[in-house]
């Protein structure tokens, strides 16, 4: 795709450069061009040339003699005028009868100024104008004669579709979004098919989803697929210094779009201009933004969709958009662009892995599993981080280890190379993390541990236990949630059991556990007393308003009590689990302490080995007791 951008440098730079070129031109080139070269020679040379009658023209002034030889064309010389009383005789002998009038044409200062300054300047100005007009034409007439002149002009970029443009195949996953967008592209290609049936072509579609999920990328892919002009502008570009300019830009954008129809207009991050209007209440408020939004609404109503102008917009925050924008006839289509699932993550990793040299045995699905919850942008970043890491360690290809590391880098912050933990702290952290992992492992319905580390991260975490769901979970049972809470408490439980003192290290765990417990009570209807009543809703982006029960203070107190109860119960459960597995807790913590980072397999290996021994010991005991 060729992206033709508005020239960033105003034309004033062009003129400054032209002026410099002209000055140089006047110093170096112009004398040679406009007046013949005159060689300065000794008086003797003049004398001998006069002797040889090798003179064609001569001009004698008060201070010097300028003369030309007989050559074709004549060469010009000059020499200082000596006190030579025979000068006139010599000239006469050489056949020169006229020596008073100028032989080298001296241009009048006025004429020379015109020739060397004005004419080139005019040429440059005309060239400059032609150039800028040509560029504007190429860009569909949009854009810029420098800042001062571009107020009120939209500086939308136009993507000219071309073969190397971004296509739908560059966007991994997001099949639903692609399908909906394909339909839109089809409207533009076969408008008559829709017109025959009498279907109204949608005017606008809104790409909605969390940041980094590929909304902008999808829009650019549409540009690559549609083979129509594609105007792209970001909402923030409408926000101008002067009141009324945003609205003028909107007007200009739609004027251009109407001229170029069929075409696509893409407004990225539309929430910057499309926020809910405050109404008359706010004095002054954000008048400019409101005007811009109003203009956008007016324009969207005004133009005829049959002409084939389709407006795409993208936003992370659809809930903040003015409802007027979402009315039928405006952005009536919603295209959800969600965070990728397991398969989607794998596909995205593969798309980006094509851009780097990657070892053949890389297991993308393992990486995708570890990167649960990552957005497309984060996954792209992971691949790049892995490539950087490969370069740092002097390798030619990216390996599995690089990718694994970069997952952690992106998710949990860089590994801190310098140790900041004291030995005792390290031991506490080892027990804490083992506590998490062991509680997780000892419960049935909880995600397996894949990695435990006590290497501090720049994110502030001193250790880190990574659990990976086997498959993407859409539904979680009450038991799974409870187990999760128990796992969160496991760290603190271990600290308390071993050191009989507790640390601040569990702050994040406490927060997570509380959040989950609260959600169970208020949102998932998982408490006996409240049942299926929404006591709280998340600001659901795709639903709109809050539908929860308005809680009375008594209910709120009750909720708090319930939440505390849930967490306490799970804490007790975790405590019981660890108390009955003290041997394992000690052994695993010591192992983690010595190795700093262990994999899930190592962890499970040691654990099952110990359990086996225990079983054998138990069996032996039973055998002894039997007789
Ligand atoms: P958004 O506009 O939704 O915030 P972007 O479209 O700007 O996100 O995505 C940022 C980058 O993330 C893209 O340039 C691309 O490299 C990567 N990316 C995101 N989603 C995908 C995807 N589905 N397939 C491939 N790359 C993706
Ligand atoms: Mg974007
Ligand atoms: Zn913890």
């Amino acid at each position: 795709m060729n992206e033709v951008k508005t020239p960033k440098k105003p034309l004033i730079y062009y003129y400054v450069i032209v002026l410099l070129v002209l000055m140089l031109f006047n110093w170096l080139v112009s004398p040679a061009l406009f007046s013949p070269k005159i060689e300065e020679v000794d008086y003797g040379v003049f004398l001998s040339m006069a002797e040889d009658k090798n003179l064609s023209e001569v001009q004698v002034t008060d201070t010097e003699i300028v003369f030309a030889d007989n050559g074709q064309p004549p060469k010009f010389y000059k020499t200082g005028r000596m006190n030579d009383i025979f000068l006139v005789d010599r000239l006469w002998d050489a056949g020169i009868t006229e020596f008073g009038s100028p032989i080298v044409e001296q241009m009048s200062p006025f004429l020379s100024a015109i020739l060397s300054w004005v004419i080139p300047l005019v040429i440059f100005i005309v060239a400059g104008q032609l150039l800028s007009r040509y560029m504007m034409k190429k860009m569909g007439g949009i854009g810029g004669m420098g800042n001062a002149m571009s107020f009120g002009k939209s500086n939308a970029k136009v993507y000219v579709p071309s073969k190397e443009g971004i296509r739908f195949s560059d966007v991994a996953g997001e099949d639903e979004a692609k399908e909906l967008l394909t339909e839109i592209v089809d409207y533009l290609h076969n408008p008559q098919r829709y017109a025959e049936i009498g279907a109204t072509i949608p005017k606008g579609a809104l790409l909605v989803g969390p940041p980094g999920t590929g909304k902008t990328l999808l829009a650019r892919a549409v540009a690559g697929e549609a083979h129509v002009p594609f105007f792209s502008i970001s909402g923030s570009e409408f926000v101008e210094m002067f009141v009324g300019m945003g609205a003028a830009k909107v007007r200009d954008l739609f004027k251009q779009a109407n001229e170029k129809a069929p075409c696509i207009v893409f407004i990225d991050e539309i929430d910057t201009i499309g926020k809910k209007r405050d109404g008359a209440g706010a004095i002054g408020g954000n008048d400019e933004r409101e005007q811009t939004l109003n203009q956008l609404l007016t324009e969207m109503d005004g133009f005829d969709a049959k002409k084939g102008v389709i407006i795409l917009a993208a936003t992370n925050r659809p809930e903040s958009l003015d409802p007027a924008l979402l009315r039928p006839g405006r952005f009536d289509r919603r295209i959800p662009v969600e965070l990728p699932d397991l398969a989607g993550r794998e596909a995205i990793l593969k798309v980006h892995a094509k851009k780097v040299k990657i070892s053949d045995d890389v297991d993308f699905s393992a990486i995708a599993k570890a990167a649960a919850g990552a957005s497309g942008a984060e996954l792209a970043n992971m691949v790049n981080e892995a490539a950087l890491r490969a370069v740092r360690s002097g390798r030619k290809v990216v390996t599995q280890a690089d990718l694994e590391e970069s997952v952690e880098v992106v998710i949990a912050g860089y590994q801190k190379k310098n140790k900041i933990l004291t030995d005792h702290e390290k031991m506490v952290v080892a027990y804490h993390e083992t506590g998490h992992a062991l509680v997780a492992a000892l419960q049935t319905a909880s995600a397996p541990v894949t990695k435990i580390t006590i290497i501090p991260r720049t994110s502030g975490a001193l250790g880190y236990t990574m659990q990976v769901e086997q498959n993407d979970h859409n539904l979680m049972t009450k038991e799974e949630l409870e187990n999760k809470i128990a796992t969160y408490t496991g760290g603190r439980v271990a600290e308390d059991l071993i050191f009989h003192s507790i640390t601040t290290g569990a702050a994040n765990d406490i927060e997570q556990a509380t959040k989950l417990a609260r959600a169970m009570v208020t949102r998932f209807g998982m408490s006996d007393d409240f049942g299926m009543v929404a006591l709280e809703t998340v600001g659901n982006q795709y639903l709109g308003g809050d539908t929860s029960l308005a809680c009375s203070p008594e209910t709120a107190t009750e909720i708090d009590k319930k939440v505390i109860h849930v967490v306490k119960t799970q804490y007790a459960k975790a405590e019981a689990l660890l108390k009955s597995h003290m041997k394992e807790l000690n052994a695993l913590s010591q192992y983690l302490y010595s190795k700093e980072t262990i994999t899930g397999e190592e962890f499970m290996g040691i654990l099952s080995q110990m359990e086996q021994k225990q079983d054998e010991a138990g069996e032996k005991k039973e055998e002894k007791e039997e007789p």
Side-chain angles (χ1 to χ4, degrees):
M1 180 176 318
N2 304 317
E3 184 182 319
V4 184
K5 280 192 180 154
T6 313
K8 276 268 147 50
K9 282 182 197 156
L11 273 187
I12 188 91
Y13 288 131
Y14 173 77
Y15 288 123
V16 167
I17 290 169
V18 163
L19 216 66
L20 286 175
V21 169
L22 271 184
M23 280 166 135
L24 221 69
F25 176 79
N26 268 298
W27 274 332
L28 301 175
V29 188
S30 167
L33 214 75
F34 294 122
S35 46
K37 214 168 129 193
I38 301 174
E39 195 183 335
E40 193 147 10
V41 292
D42 193 72
Y43 199 71
V45 176
F46 168 68
L47 288 182
S48 60
M49 277 170 73
E51 203 93 313
D52 300 344
K53 295 197 165 51
N54 185 16
L55 287 176
S56 57
E57 283 179 294
V58 177
Q59 180 202 1
V60 181
T61 70
D62 288 346
T63 50
E64 58 182 17
I65 304 166
V66 184
F67 54 100
D69 62 14
N70 279 329
Q72 260 330 315
K75 269 196 203 142
F76 291 88
Y77 305 88
K78 76 178 177 194
T79 179
R81 179 158 176 201
M82 292 283 168
N83 200 0
D84 183 355
I85 47 168
F86 300 109
L87 177 62
V88 177
D89 295 337
R90 287 185 213 283
L91 290 173
W92 205 262
D93 289 345
I96 303 294
T97 53
E98 212 177 287
F99 36 81
S101 51
I103 59 163
V104 179
E105 239 173 275
Q106 285 287 299
M107 245 179 276
S108 76
F110 178 69
L111 192 71
S112 96
I114 284 188
L115 269 179
S116 59
W117 282 100
V118 179
I119 289 180
L121 200 63
V122 167
I123 291 172
F124 275 115
I125 288 174
V126 170
Q129 294 286 343
L130 287 178
L131 190 78
S132 74
R133 207 162 300 163
Y134 166 76
M135 281 167 83
M136 290 215 288
K137 222 189 221 163
K138 216 175 154 188
M139 292 182 309
I142 311 171
M145 293 274 296
N147 287 334
M149 291 166 166
S150 73
F151 287 129
K153 295 253 180 202
S154 67
N155 26 27
K157 291 168 219 139
V158 177
Y159 291 99
V160 182
S162 70
K163 287 225 168 69
E164 64 273 309
I166 294 175
R167 311 299 295 260
F168 279 146
S169 55
D170 294 311
V171 187
E174 307 298 353
D175 293 327
E176 194 191 343
K178 277 195 249 180
E179 204 170 294
L180 289 168
L181 287 168
T182 313
E183 214 176 304
I184 286 177
V185 172
D186 190 51
Y187 290 138
L188 291 174
H189 288 165
N190 310 302
Q192 68 291 346
R193 249 182 42 202
Y194 295 86
E196 272 165 23
I197 296 190
T200 329
I201 296 168
K203 276 188 187 173
L206 190 62
L207 293 159
V208 174
T213 44
K215 297 181 295 298
T216 308
L217 190 70
L218 271 165
R220 294 174 66 197
V222 170
E225 300 274 348
H227 305 291
V228 295
F230 186 86
F231 296 80
S232 167
I233 189 163
S234 168
S236 58
E237 285 173 64
F238 286 114
V239 182
E240 272 287 349
M241 201 165 15
F242 299 116
V243 174
M245 284 307 167
K249 277 191 169 181
V250 172
R251 221 173 297 133
D252 180 64
L253 175 65
F254 279 86
K255 199 172 133 237
Q256 307 292 345
N258 260 322
E259 284 164 12
K260 294 271 166 189
C263 67
I264 298 172
V265 175
F266 174 54
I267 306 175
D268 207 353
E269 328 233 317
I270 196 173
D271 37 300
T272 12
I273 50 166
K275 280 202 206 99
K276 286 193 181 85
R277 288 164 291 186
D278 322 314
I283 302 170
N286 209 333
D287 226 14
E288 159 69 352
R289 218 199 56 223
E290 239 165 73
Q291 274 189 30
T292 310
L293 175 56
N294 284 335
Q295 188 64 42
L296 181 65
L297 296 176
T298 315
E299 294 288 348
M300 284 193 77
D301 289 341
F303 73 82
D304 187 1
K306 286 204 189 79
K307 262 188 106 173
V309 180
I310 286 191
I311 306 165
L312 286 181
T315 180
N316 309 328
R317 303 160 51 204
E319 76 284 355
S320 76
L321 287 183
D322 196 292
L325 266 177
L326 309 172
R327 248 191 32 197
R330 290 172 184 157
F331 292 107
D332 40 9
R333 280 268 169 126
R334 274 197 177 203
I335 302 179
V337 186
E338 304 284 0
L339 285 175
D341 58 7
L342 183 61
R345 290 199 298 274
E346 190 175 338
I348 293 172
L349 282 171
K350 280 181 180 159
V351 163
H352 288 280
K354 275 187 206 140
K355 296 173 197 160
V356 298
K357 283 204 185 109
I358 203 150
S359 132
D360 296 331
D361 56 355
V362 165
D363 178 5
F364 287 105
S365 95
I367 305 297
K369 258 184 196 170
S375 69
E378 280 165 334
L379 291 165
N381 191 14
M382 280 172 201
V383 173
N384 192 50
E385 281 291 337
L388 291 177
R389 207 180 99 100
V391 173
R392 269 204 300 275
S393 37
R395 259 174 282 113
K396 287 267 185 278
V397 292
V398 176
T399 64
Q400 181 86 7
D402 291 327
L403 279 164
E404 275 169 5
E405 177 77 5
S406 71
V407 171
E408 285 172 46
V409 166
V410 173
I411 288 181
Y414 285 94
Q415 262 188 17
K416 268 207 176 147
K417 293 291 179 220
N418 47 343
K419 279 193 194 126
I420 50 160
L421 289 188
T422 65
D423 244 19
H424 176 68
E425 279 172 332
K426 213 172 111 183
M427 188 60 94
V428 173
V429 176
Y431 270 97
H432 178 106
E433 297 305 331
T434 310
H436 284 308
L438 199 51
V439 171
L442 294 174
Q443 298 173 119
T444 40
S446 78
V449 173
T450 49
K451 181 164 185 168
I452 316 168
T453 169
I454 52 169
I455 296 170
R457 318 260 135 183
T458 40
S459 67
L462 298 178
Y464 181 66
T465 301
M466 195 151 85
Q467 276 177 285
V468 173
E469 305 283 351
Q470 279 311 60
N471 295 300
D472 259 18
H473 259 260
N474 292 316
L475 281 176
M476 288 192 88
T477 62
K478 185 176 173 188
E479 195 194 355
E480 282 172 319
L481 288 173
E482 282 174 348
N483 286 350
K484 234 178 159 162
I485 296 174
T487 306
Y488 281 131
T489 63
R492 164 64 65 86
V493 171
E495 281 181 49
D496 194 24
L497 283 177
I498 304 295
F499 302 100
H500 307 294
S501 75
I502 52 181
T503 66
T504 52
N508 184 45
D509 301 331
I510 291 170
E511 202 184 311
Q512 298 287 346
T514 313
K515 224 158 89 184
L516 251 183
R518 195 172 184 84
M520 282 176 70
V521 175
T522 62
R523 288 171 44 213
F524 305 145
M526 285 179 179
S527 68
D528 307 328
D529 296 355
F530 294 118
M532 270 187 63
V533 172
L535 299 165
E536 196 174 70
T537 51
V538 267
N540 193 318
Q541 307 185 354
Y542 309 102
L543 283 179
D546 190 334
T547 54
S548 64
L549 208 65
C551 290
S552 65
E554 291 81 33
T555 319
T557 316
E558 222 24 62
I559 291 172
D560 290 343
K561 274 191 194 152
K562 274 275 155 206
V563 172
I564 293 166
H565 177 72
V566 170
V567 178
K568 270 204 167 145
T569 312
Q570 294 314 311
Y571 187 94
K573 187 170 107 191
E575 196 168 19
L577 275 173
L578 289 186
K579 262 188 179 157
S580 62
H581 289 83
M582 284 302 258
K583 244 198 204 154
E584 285 88 345
L585 178 62
N586 277 318
L588 285 163
S589 300
Q590 296 294 342
Y591 185 71
L592 174 62
Y593 173 83
S594 63
K595 298 267 281 192
E596 293 202 340
T597 300
I598 61 176
T599 65
E601 282 110 61
E602 276 178 279
F603 179 86
M604 291 312 292
I606 294 172
L607 185 60
S608 56
Q609 218 178 341
M610 290 185 78
E611 275 177 343
Q612 227 169 348
K613 266 188 202 156
Q614 201 110 4
D615 289 348
E616 280 164 21
E619 275 163 28
K620 267 179 203 158
K621 233 190 217 167
E622 273 169 35
E623 277 167 25
K624 269 180 200 164
E625 275 167 15
E626 244 176 284

